[in-house]
Amino acid sequence: MTSLPAGSNDPHANDAAPYGGGDPYADYRGGDFPFTSLVDLADRRLGAGVIAANDEFFAERENLLTPTPAVFDPERFGHKGKIMDGWETRRRRGADAEHPFPADHEHDWALIRLAAPGVVRGIVVDTAHFRGNYPQQISVEATALPGSPGPRELLADDVKWQELVPRTPVRGHAANGFAVDAERCFTHLRLKQHPDGGIARLRVHGEVVPDPEWLDVLGTLDLASVLHGGTVEDASDRFYSSPTQLIRPDLSRKMDDGWENRRRRVRGTNDWVRFRLAARGEIRALEIDTAYLKGNSAGWAALYGCDAERADPADASAWCEILPRTALQPDTPHRFRLPRAVTATHVRLDVFPDGGLARMRVHGDLTDSGRAALVRRFDELSG
């Protein structure tokens, strides 16, 4: 967790230097957090949203979930002051002239709807470009409510909130990362600024916990989708972009909105990604999309499956061929109907020899044992 330097009582110890011109990210204090390899449950492109905030005088709350890094234009001002790419509240004041500072308990807040119910493993509170106007401290709470509750339902007195990040100092113009240890499924977060200030971006990394009853209604579904609980277990290369983008439910919108590896130079080798499916399922059809990848798309692809109920995925002989090595066209969606259903808990996508893919869909339905496992997990984490 981020904190003030040891032994420091200076409330400005975490300030960044004033912007001095040039690249505004030159003195940005980033961080390498292991949980960021997991899906961002607060990704706006997956359906997350900031549904309410008590104050957004200087900058709108919706900016918190913008998927791209915050930008800074030193010349951009509006009628309310400097226009910032983030969520920024006005300066809080005390009760009267004798008490000009706000009381210790006073704070600003925003309510975030996660894209899907999930277990939170880590949170990044990014204060990029908020150098002296970031919050002195932050805290994060979470709750789980069914349906699509609005602010009134979430702020009701009977709603129970669990603390994920206690009230903690943060640094200005920095990525502030917090590991979370809470084995529960949540649907909404409450981000608090103590007492006020600006936050550029919020990332909430974790694991989707799908509702089995919703998957029952869907029938045939994408067993690999991040919104249904699919996840990347390992990959040969993550040089240009994350392989998790392959199993996003939306369509790719540009070249880097997929998985692209570096150029492979060792003959007889290839790149690959291994996925754990939402649950044990019967695979019936596949989609492999190379949208926007033209001179750098994969030349060929193959897909293999493993049923962990019957064999150890660590055993190479446990994997069977689902799609043989097949030529791919650049910037093209490819659809494959399987001659027979294949039962699997894991799939491995191989590309030859290297290159990029935009999306992969693994269409099928849950087996009885797969659904039972999902029900157990959902019930355990929703208690």
Side-chain angles (χ1 to χ4, degrees):
M1 289 188 178
T2 307
S3 62
L4 287 167
S8 173
N9 292 317
D10 179 5
H12 298 291
N14 283 333
D15 289 6
Y19 175 64
D23 179 7
Y25 273 106
D27 59 343
Y28 175 73
R29 293 171 286 184
D32 184 14
F33 311 113
F35 52 75
T36 56
S37 63
L38 300 172
V39 64
D40 180 6
L41 298 171
D43 192 326
R44 183 68 182 85
R45 297 166 297 181
L46 298 180
V50 186
I51 61 177
N54 72 303
D55 187 289
E56 47 188 326
F57 185 86
F58 286 114
E60 295 82 0
R61 64 182 190 264
E62 289 86 358
N63 292 328
L64 279 172
L65 305 189
T66 301
T68 53
V71 298
F72 180 74
D73 182 350
E75 303 298 327
R76 194 176 181 205
F77 285 82
H79 295 294
K80 294 181 180 180
K82 182 73 187 75
I83 296 176
M84 297 294 290
D85 185 9
W87 169 49
E88 186 180 6
T89 64
R90 72 193 79 197
R91 301 188 187 210
R92 279 185 170 268
R93 301 304 189 199
D96 51 47
E98 298 301 317
H99 306 87
F101 287 96
D104 186 61
H105 69 276
E106 294 183 312
H107 62 272
D108 291 320
W109 53 264
L111 297 176
I112 293 92
R113 180 192 66 247
L114 300 181
V119 178
V120 178
R121 301 298 185 191
I123 295 173
V124 178
V125 177
D126 188 346
T127 58
H129 315 304
F130 290 96
R131 296 169 175 269
N133 52 344
Y134 61 97
Q136 187 175 19
Q137 299 169 322
I138 64 94
S139 61
V140 182
E141 299 169 328
T143 191
L145 290 183
S148 303
R152 178 178 297 180
E153 292 84 1
L154 287 164
L155 297 175
D157 293 338
D158 60 346
V159 173
K160 296 180 180 179
W161 292 86
Q162 179 173 338
E163 186 177 74
L164 300 187
V165 180
R167 187 167 170 174
T168 307
V170 292
R171 297 177 297 167
H173 194 45
N176 299 276
F178 305 90
V180 174
D181 183 15
E183 286 294 326
R184 282 200 57 200
C185 178
F186 299 108
T187 60
H188 294 78
L189 300 187
R190 180 161 58 189
L191 172 64
K192 295 181 178 180
Q193 302 193 71
H194 304 272
D196 53 37
I199 296 171
R201 298 288 187 266
L202 177 71
R203 308 296 186 223
V204 183
H205 297 279
E207 302 161 7
V208 172
V209 181
D211 183 346
E213 292 187 0
W214 175 245
L215 297 188
D216 286 344
V217 172
L218 294 180
T220 300
L221 64 140
D222 181 359
L223 295 164
S225 170
V226 292
L227 283 187
H228 297 153
T231 187
V232 171
E233 286 195 331
D234 200 3
S236 61
D237 190 289
R238 304 170 187 257
F239 190 84
Y240 287 112
S241 51
S242 169
T244 298
Q245 297 192 132
L246 284 170
I247 52 176
R248 293 171 55 87
D250 56 348
L251 295 175
S252 176
R253 292 176 173 82
K254 51 194 175 75
M255 191 183 74
D256 65 348
D257 189 16
W259 173 57
E260 185 186 0
N261 44 60
R262 76 193 84 188
R263 300 188 187 211
R264 185 165 283 269
R265 304 303 192 189
V266 179
R267 293 183 180 274
T269 65
N270 66 280
D271 285 306
W272 52 269
V273 186
R274 187 177 73 243
F275 304 89
R276 185 182 72 242
L277 301 178
R280 189 172 188 251
E282 299 282 346
I283 303 171
R284 304 184 185 282
L286 307 170
E287 289 185 70
I288 297 175
D289 190 0
T290 58
Y292 297 100
L293 294 150
K294 298 177 181 178
N296 53 348
S297 64
W300 295 263
L303 191 77
Y304 304 89
C306 174
D307 183 359
E309 285 194 10
R310 298 187 175 183
D312 184 356
D315 182 356
S317 65
W319 293 81
C320 67
E321 184 179 79
I322 298 176
L323 178 72
R325 190 181 303 195
T326 302
L328 301 179
Q329 299 299 320
D331 194 26
T332 302
H334 306 76
R335 294 177 176 173
F336 307 97
R337 180 165 28 178
L338 302 186
R340 64 183 184 282
V342 177
T343 302
T345 58
H346 296 70
V347 296
R348 190 186 75 234
L349 176 67
D350 284 29
V351 296
F352 303 90
D354 55 27
L357 299 177
R359 295 289 186 269
M360 179 190 74
R361 317 285 191 215
V362 180
H363 298 293
D365 44 42
L366 299 175
T367 64
D368 290 342
S369 62
R371 186 188 186 282
L374 274 185
V375 169
R376 286 194 300 271
R377 184 166 188 254
F378 187 79
D379 290 344
E380 289 170 358
L381 295 173
S382 300

